[in-house]
Amino acid sequence: QKEVEQDPGPLSVPEGAIVSLNCTYSNSAFQYFMWYRQYSRKGPELLMYTYSSGNKEDGRFTAQVDKSSKYISLFIRDSQPSDSATYLCAKGGSQGNLIFGKGTKLSVKP
Amino acid sequence: GAGVSQSPSNKVTEKGKDVELRCDPISGHTALYWYRQSLGQGLEFLIYFQGNSAPDKSGLPSDRFSAERTGGSVSTLTIQRTQQEDSAVYLCASSLSSGSIYEQYFGPGTRLTVT
């Protein structure tokens, strides 16, 4: 079992929809969590990070962590075509690194 | 300010040749990380530096891979005797320190193709 699991999609939604992206993790150590967005042929871009269970909001983006079920989510409200990208979840690792999910490819249709 | 820069952006090399990839972190960032992104494999951690020191090299896939950092700034990742399975995008990231691992900023990557 990989330490961070993420459904690769692809996920296609109409503009304005609420998007839910999800990951699960197995190792309870190093519990800080990140969401990155990656456009095609670009490096990942940090969207949000959080340490705590519960919700953290930043504009149209909400990161949610449920440590009891080892589940992390990213919600995007009022999705836009410019949100079309691959979204990567990540958590801390034991080597001073981040451990990434494989990414979910999102397409927002106008 | 300037972000993380990497060079070259693309590299095509023949199997068996050595390649050197360069990373220039954000100014003032003391921690630097190398990852590899292969199709269908996601991002795989290779190595990180705090200053010029790499505490753990166990993420490097084989002894053909080595990395160094000098002057607490630029880092190079060297792959000797390249193999086709080394083809991937090599990404570099930096953070203010190893304590701010949660806030890593990535460069655009070097796309390596081994023919």
Side-chain angles (χ1 to χ4, degrees):
Chain A
Q1 180 193 14
K2 279 187 69 74
E3 192 164 338
V4 177
E5 300 273 6
Q6 184 175 11
D7 185 341
L11 184 60
S12 182
V13 301
E15 183 175 353
I18 296 174
V19 175
S20 172
L21 303 164
N22 308 295
C23 292
T24 58
Y25 64 94
S26 56
N27 187 342
S28 295
F30 308 101
Q31 291 200 59
Y32 35 91
F33 306 95
M34 279 67 59
W35 283 96
Y36 281 83
R37 177 175 63 194
Q38 187 174 25
Y39 292 113
S40 182
R41 293 190 169 258
K42 302 286 186 185
E45 170 195 5
L46 179 65
L47 285 176
M48 300 179 71
Y49 66 85
T50 181
Y51 306 87
S52 317
S53 274
N55 293 349
K56 180 178 181 181
E57 195 172 310
D58 185 359
R60 296 185 296 110
F61 298 91
T62 300
Q64 185 177 83
V65 175
D66 181 346
K67 292 185 180 181
S68 62
S69 55
K70 297 181 183 172
Y71 201 82
I72 55 178
S73 300
L74 179 71
F75 298 97
I76 308 174
R77 288 186 299 281
D78 187 26
S79 56
Q80 302 295 309
S82 58
D83 295 327
S84 298
T86 296
Y87 289 79
L88 301 158
C89 61
K91 72 175 289 287
S94 61
Q95 295 172 284
N97 59 315
L98 297 180
I99 301 172
F100 285 84
K102 288 190 176 182
T104 300
K105 188 169 184 178
L106 171 67
S107 176
V108 181
K109 303 292 188 187
Chain B
V4 177
S5 61
Q6 293 186 245
S7 62
S9 53
N10 282 284
K11 176 72 177 179
V12 180
T13 190
E14 290 180 356
K15 179 181 169 182
K17 301 278 190 183
D18 298 352
V19 295
E20 197 170 274
L21 313 180
R22 176 187 166 111
C23 173
D24 219 322
I26 293 172
S27 178
H29 280 196
T30 62
L32 183 149
Y33 311 82
W34 284 100
Y35 294 85
R36 176 168 74 172
Q37 189 172 34
S38 307
L39 200 61
Q41 295 300 314
L43 270 111
E44 173 192 5
F45 171 70
L46 300 179
I47 193 170
Y48 94 93
F49 291 88
Q50 176 55 47
N52 293 333
S53 174
D56 186 344
K57 298 182 181 181
S58 63
L60 295 174
S62 76
D63 58 9
R64 297 185 294 103
F65 287 71
S66 63
E68 66 172 14
R69 189 179 186 195
T70 53
S73 182
V74 171
S75 176
T76 54
L77 177 69
T78 301
I79 310 172
Q80 295 179 309
R81 304 181 304 281
T82 51
Q83 303 294 311
Q84 287 187 328
E85 63 261 27
D86 299 334
S87 295
V89 177
Y90 289 82
L91 290 157
C92 175
S94 70
S95 66
L96 203 55
S97 73
S98 58
S100 49
I101 181 178
Y102 47 84
E103 205 166 357
Q104 293 184 24
Y105 295 92
F106 281 82
T110 293
R111 185 172 297 271
L112 175 66
T113 304
V114 182
T115 61

